[in-house]
PDB file of all heavy atoms in Angstrom:
ATOM      1  N   GLN A1003     -12.936   3.024  34.342  1.00  0.00           N
ATOM      2  CA  GLN A1003     -14.257   3.554  34.571  1.00  0.00           C
ATOM      3  C   GLN A1003     -14.603   4.683  33.587  1.00  0.00           C
ATOM      4  O   GLN A1003     -13.828   5.582  33.395  1.00  0.00           O
ATOM      5  CB  GLN A1003     -14.253   4.133  35.993  1.00  0.00           C
ATOM      6  CG  GLN A1003     -15.281   5.150  36.301  1.00  0.00           C
ATOM      7  CD  GLN A1003     -16.544   4.548  36.848  1.00  0.00           C
ATOM      8  OE1 GLN A1003     -16.824   3.387  36.587  1.00  0.00           O
ATOM      9  NE2 GLN A1003     -17.281   5.301  37.623  1.00  0.00           N
ATOM     10  N   THR A1138     -19.705  -8.695  40.173  1.00  0.00           N
ATOM     11  CA  THR A1138     -18.637  -7.796  40.580  1.00  0.00           C
ATOM     12  C   THR A1138     -17.320  -8.547  40.763  1.00  0.00           C
ATOM     13  O   THR A1138     -16.239  -8.138  40.319  1.00  0.00           O
ATOM     14  CB  THR A1138     -18.991  -7.026  41.873  1.00  0.00           C
ATOM     15  OG1 THR A1138     -20.242  -6.383  41.658  1.00  0.00           O
ATOM     16  CG2 THR A1138     -17.942  -6.003  42.179  1.00  0.00           C
TER      17      THR A1138
ATOM     18  N   ASN B1460      -5.296  -0.052  51.011  1.00  0.00           N
ATOM     19  CA  ASN B1460      -5.519   1.135  50.177  1.00  0.00           C
ATOM     20  C   ASN B1460      -5.826   2.342  50.990  1.00  0.00           C
ATOM     21  O   ASN B1460      -5.310   3.454  50.720  1.00  0.00           O
ATOM     22  CB  ASN B1460      -6.685   0.886  49.222  1.00  0.00           C
ATOM     23  CG  ASN B1460      -6.338  -0.099  48.130  1.00  0.00           C
ATOM     24  OD1 ASN B1460      -5.175  -0.322  47.813  1.00  0.00           O
ATOM     25  ND2 ASN B1460      -7.353  -0.716  47.553  1.00  0.00           N
ATOM     26  N   LEU B1539      -6.091   6.353  35.456  1.00  0.00           N
ATOM     27  CA  LEU B1539      -7.060   5.620  36.282  1.00  0.00           C
ATOM     28  C   LEU B1539      -7.164   4.166  35.921  1.00  0.00           C
ATOM     29  O   LEU B1539      -7.687   3.363  36.688  1.00  0.00           O
ATOM     30  CB  LEU B1539      -8.461   6.260  36.165  1.00  0.00           C
ATOM     31  CG  LEU B1539      -8.550   7.627  36.804  1.00  0.00           C
ATOM     32  CD1 LEU B1539      -9.878   8.269  36.480  1.00  0.00           C
ATOM     33  CD2 LEU B1539      -8.386   7.506  38.293  1.00  0.00           C
ATOM     34  N   THR B1545      -3.530   4.364  39.886  1.00  0.00           N
ATOM     35  CA  THR B1545      -4.923   4.662  40.300  1.00  0.00           C
ATOM     36  C   THR B1545      -4.964   5.407  41.648  1.00  0.00           C
ATOM     37  O   THR B1545      -5.540   6.477  41.733  1.00  0.00           O
ATOM     38  CB  THR B1545      -5.707   3.355  40.490  1.00  0.00           C
ATOM     39  OG1 THR B1545      -5.555   2.560  39.299  1.00  0.00           O
ATOM     40  CG2 THR B1545      -7.191   3.650  40.658  1.00  0.00           C
ATOM     41  N   ILE B1549      -6.142   9.252  42.792  1.00  0.00           N
ATOM     42  CA  ILE B1549      -7.176   9.528  43.769  1.00  0.00           C
ATOM     43  C   ILE B1549      -6.654  10.372  44.872  1.00  0.00           C
ATOM     44  O   ILE B1549      -7.291  11.313  45.366  1.00  0.00           O
ATOM     45  CB  ILE B1549      -7.724   8.208  44.370  1.00  0.00           C
ATOM     46  CG1 ILE B1549      -8.390   7.412  43.259  1.00  0.00           C
ATOM     47  CG2 ILE B1549      -8.718   8.515  45.487  1.00  0.00           C
ATOM     48  CD1 ILE B1549      -8.886   6.059  43.689  1.00  0.00           C
ATOM     49  N   PRO B1621     -12.685   7.986  45.632  1.00  0.00           N
ATOM     50  CA  PRO B1621     -12.576   6.723  44.869  1.00  0.00           C
ATOM     51  C   PRO B1621     -13.897   6.377  44.169  1.00  0.00           C
ATOM     52  O   PRO B1621     -13.903   5.812  43.105  1.00  0.00           O
ATOM     53  CB  PRO B1621     -12.190   5.704  45.923  1.00  0.00           C
ATOM     54  CG  PRO B1621     -12.422   6.293  47.240  1.00  0.00           C
ATOM     55  CD  PRO B1621     -12.393   7.770  47.089  1.00  0.00           C
ATOM     56  N   PHE B1622     -15.029   6.682  44.840  1.00  0.00           N
ATOM     57  CA  PHE B1622     -16.334   6.321  44.247  1.00  0.00           C
ATOM     58  C   PHE B1622     -16.509   6.940  42.891  1.00  0.00           C
ATOM     59  O   PHE B1622     -16.943   6.320  41.968  1.00  0.00           O
ATOM     60  CB  PHE B1622     -17.434   6.802  45.174  1.00  0.00           C
ATOM     61  CG  PHE B1622     -18.822   6.415  44.741  1.00  0.00           C
ATOM     62  CD1 PHE B1622     -19.321   5.133  44.977  1.00  0.00           C
ATOM     63  CD2 PHE B1622     -19.649   7.309  44.103  1.00  0.00           C
ATOM     64  CE1 PHE B1622     -20.598   4.772  44.573  1.00  0.00           C
ATOM     65  CE2 PHE B1622     -20.924   6.952  43.705  1.00  0.00           C
ATOM     66  CZ  PHE B1622     -21.409   5.683  43.925  1.00  0.00           C
ATOM     67  N   MET B1624     -14.072   8.324  40.989  1.00  0.00           N
ATOM     68  CA  MET B1624     -12.954   8.111  40.048  1.00  0.00           C
ATOM     69  C   MET B1624     -12.900   6.678  39.522  1.00  0.00           C
ATOM     70  O   MET B1624     -12.576   6.429  38.379  1.00  0.00           O
ATOM     71  CB  MET B1624     -11.584   8.454  40.717  1.00  0.00           C
ATOM     72  CG  MET B1624     -11.477   9.912  41.023  1.00  0.00           C
ATOM     73  SD  MET B1624     -11.483  10.910  39.550  1.00  0.00           S
ATOM     74  CE  MET B1624      -9.829  11.484  39.534  1.00  0.00           C
ATOM     75  N   THR B1625     -13.174   5.727  40.390  1.00  0.00           N
ATOM     76  CA  THR B1625     -13.058   4.330  39.926  1.00  0.00           C
ATOM     77  C   THR B1625     -14.373   3.597  39.887  1.00  0.00           C
ATOM     78  O   THR B1625     -14.466   2.451  39.496  1.00  0.00           O
ATOM     79  CB  THR B1625     -12.122   3.531  40.876  1.00  0.00           C
ATOM     80  OG1 THR B1625     -12.718   3.503  42.192  1.00  0.00           O
ATOM     81  CG2 THR B1625     -10.768   4.122  40.953  1.00  0.00           C
ATOM     82  N   GLY B1626     -15.443   4.244  40.312  1.00  0.00           N
ATOM     83  CA  GLY B1626     -16.709   3.537  40.370  1.00  0.00           C
ATOM     84  C   GLY B1626     -16.804   2.747  41.629  1.00  0.00           C
ATOM     85  O   GLY B1626     -15.823   2.514  42.323  1.00  0.00           O
ATOM     86  N   PRO B1627     -18.000   2.252  41.955  1.00  0.00           N
ATOM     87  CA  PRO B1627     -18.208   1.535  43.188  1.00  0.00           C
ATOM     88  C   PRO B1627     -17.415   0.234  43.282  1.00  0.00           C
ATOM     89  O   PRO B1627     -17.259  -0.298  44.353  1.00  0.00           O
ATOM     90  CB  PRO B1627     -19.685   1.269  43.203  1.00  0.00           C
ATOM     91  CG  PRO B1627     -20.220   1.628  41.891  1.00  0.00           C
ATOM     92  CD  PRO B1627     -19.241   2.472  41.184  1.00  0.00           C
ATOM     93  N   ALA B1628     -16.953  -0.261  42.168  1.00  0.00           N
ATOM     94  CA  ALA B1628     -16.202  -1.567  42.225  1.00  0.00           C
ATOM     95  C   ALA B1628     -14.785  -1.410  42.668  1.00  0.00           C
ATOM     96  O   ALA B1628     -14.120  -2.346  43.013  1.00  0.00           O
ATOM     97  CB  ALA B1628     -16.239  -2.284  40.876  1.00  0.00           C
ATOM     98  N   GLY B1629     -14.280  -0.163  42.650  1.00  0.00           N
ATOM     99  CA  GLY B1629     -12.937   0.018  43.182  1.00  0.00           C
ATOM    100  C   GLY B1629     -11.810   0.035  42.172  1.00  0.00           C
ATOM    101  O   GLY B1629     -10.662   0.151  42.536  1.00  0.00           O
ATOM    102  N   GLY B1630     -12.150  -0.068  40.858  1.00  0.00           N
ATOM    103  CA  GLY B1630     -11.065   0.133  39.907  1.00  0.00           C
ATOM    104  C   GLY B1630     -10.255  -1.119  39.620  1.00  0.00           C
ATOM    105  O   GLY B1630     -10.533  -2.201  40.133  1.00  0.00           O
ATOM    106  N   PRO B1631      -9.220  -0.936  38.723  1.00  0.00           N
ATOM    107  CA  PRO B1631      -8.396  -2.078  38.305  1.00  0.00           C
ATOM    108  C   PRO B1631      -7.713  -2.728  39.497  1.00  0.00           C
ATOM    109  O   PRO B1631      -7.092  -2.020  40.314  1.00  0.00           O
ATOM    110  CB  PRO B1631      -7.423  -1.479  37.350  1.00  0.00           C
ATOM    111  CG  PRO B1631      -7.362  -0.030  37.715  1.00  0.00           C
ATOM    112  CD  PRO B1631      -8.712   0.334  38.246  1.00  0.00           C
ATOM    113  N   ASP B1632      -7.802  -4.054  39.598  1.00  0.00           N
ATOM    114  CA  ASP B1632      -7.197  -4.747  40.753  1.00  0.00           C
ATOM    115  C   ASP B1632      -7.706  -4.184  42.079  1.00  0.00           C
ATOM    116  O   ASP B1632      -7.012  -4.285  43.091  1.00  0.00           O
ATOM    117  CB  ASP B1632      -5.648  -4.643  40.714  1.00  0.00           C
ATOM    118  CG  ASP B1632      -5.071  -5.489  39.629  1.00  0.00           C
ATOM    119  OD1 ASP B1632      -5.823  -6.182  38.908  1.00  0.00           O
ATOM    120  OD2 ASP B1632      -3.840  -5.465  39.449  1.00  0.00           O
ATOM    121  N   GLN B1633      -8.869  -3.580  42.043  1.00  0.00           N
ATOM    122  CA  GLN B1633      -9.414  -2.947  43.231  1.00  0.00           C
ATOM    123  C   GLN B1633      -8.384  -1.989  43.880  1.00  0.00           C
ATOM    124  O   GLN B1633      -8.352  -1.859  45.100  1.00  0.00           O
ATOM    125  CB  GLN B1633      -9.854  -3.982  44.236  1.00  0.00           C
ATOM    126  CG  GLN B1633     -11.008  -4.805  43.720  1.00  0.00           C
ATOM    127  CD  GLN B1633     -11.208  -6.053  44.534  1.00  0.00           C
ATOM    128  OE1 GLN B1633     -10.286  -6.800  44.779  1.00  0.00           O
ATOM    129  NE2 GLN B1633     -12.449  -6.290  44.924  1.00  0.00           N
ATOM    130  N   ALA B1634      -7.613  -1.376  43.016  1.00  0.00           N
ATOM    131  CA  ALA B1634      -6.615  -0.468  43.570  1.00  0.00           C
ATOM    132  C   ALA B1634      -7.199   0.752  44.220  1.00  0.00           C
ATOM    133  O   ALA B1634      -6.536   1.445  44.986  1.00  0.00           O
ATOM    134  CB  ALA B1634      -5.629  -0.053  42.437  1.00  0.00           C
ATOM    135  N   GLY B1635      -8.470   1.067  43.901  1.00  0.00           N
ATOM    136  CA  GLY B1635      -9.040   2.231  44.473  1.00  0.00           C
ATOM    137  C   GLY B1635     -10.042   1.942  45.581  1.00  0.00           C
ATOM    138  O   GLY B1635     -10.751   2.796  46.080  1.00  0.00           O
ATOM    139  N   LEU B1636     -10.132   0.651  45.976  1.00  0.00           N
ATOM    140  CA  LEU B1636     -11.140   0.292  46.930  1.00  0.00           C
ATOM    141  C   LEU B1636     -10.685   0.670  48.317  1.00  0.00           C
ATOM    142  O   LEU B1636      -9.780   0.123  48.871  1.00  0.00           O
ATOM    143  CB  LEU B1636     -11.337  -1.257  46.864  1.00  0.00           C
ATOM    144  CG  LEU B1636     -12.460  -1.854  47.700  1.00  0.00           C
ATOM    145  CD1 LEU B1636     -13.783  -1.472  47.122  1.00  0.00           C
ATOM    146  CD2 LEU B1636     -12.362  -3.343  47.780  1.00  0.00           C
ATOM    147  N   THR B1637     -11.383   1.662  48.889  1.00  0.00           N
ATOM    148  CA  THR B1637     -11.088   1.990  50.307  1.00  0.00           C
ATOM    149  C   THR B1637     -12.142   1.329  51.142  1.00  0.00           C
ATOM    150  O   THR B1637     -13.114   0.784  50.666  1.00  0.00           O
ATOM    151  CB  THR B1637     -11.204   3.529  50.482  1.00  0.00           C
ATOM    152  OG1 THR B1637     -12.504   3.919  50.121  1.00  0.00           O
ATOM    153  CG2 THR B1637     -10.164   4.257  49.643  1.00  0.00           C
ATOM    154  N   LEU B1640     -15.656   2.487  50.817  1.00  0.00           N
ATOM    155  CA  LEU B1640     -16.210   2.006  49.547  1.00  0.00           C
ATOM    156  C   LEU B1640     -16.629   0.556  49.684  1.00  0.00           C
ATOM    157  O   LEU B1640     -17.656   0.140  49.186  1.00  0.00           O
ATOM    158  CB  LEU B1640     -15.193   2.190  48.441  1.00  0.00           C
ATOM    159  CG  LEU B1640     -15.689   2.239  47.001  1.00  0.00           C
ATOM    160  CD1 LEU B1640     -16.766   3.265  46.849  1.00  0.00           C
ATOM    161  CD2 LEU B1640     -14.574   2.515  46.074  1.00  0.00           C
ATOM    162  N   GLN B1644     -20.276  -0.988  49.073  1.00  0.00           N
ATOM    163  CA  GLN B1644     -20.485  -2.094  48.158  1.00  0.00           C
ATOM    164  C   GLN B1644     -21.270  -3.220  48.819  1.00  0.00           C
ATOM    165  O   GLN B1644     -22.233  -3.702  48.328  1.00  0.00           O
ATOM    166  CB  GLN B1644     -19.101  -2.606  47.726  1.00  0.00           C
ATOM    167  CG  GLN B1644     -19.036  -3.109  46.315  1.00  0.00           C
ATOM    168  CD  GLN B1644     -17.667  -3.679  46.037  1.00  0.00           C
ATOM    169  OE1 GLN B1644     -17.167  -4.564  46.768  1.00  0.00           O
ATOM    170  NE2 GLN B1644     -16.987  -3.161  45.025  1.00  0.00           N
TER     171      GLN B1644
END
Side-chain angles (χ1 to χ4, degrees):
Chain A
Q1003 158 92 334
T1138 305
Chain B
N1460 289 338
L1539 289 173
T1545 311
I1549 296 175
F1622 183 81
M1624 295 296 250
T1625 62
D1632 288 358
Q1633 295 164 311
L1636 186 72
T1637 59
L1640 200 54
Q1644 214 185 55

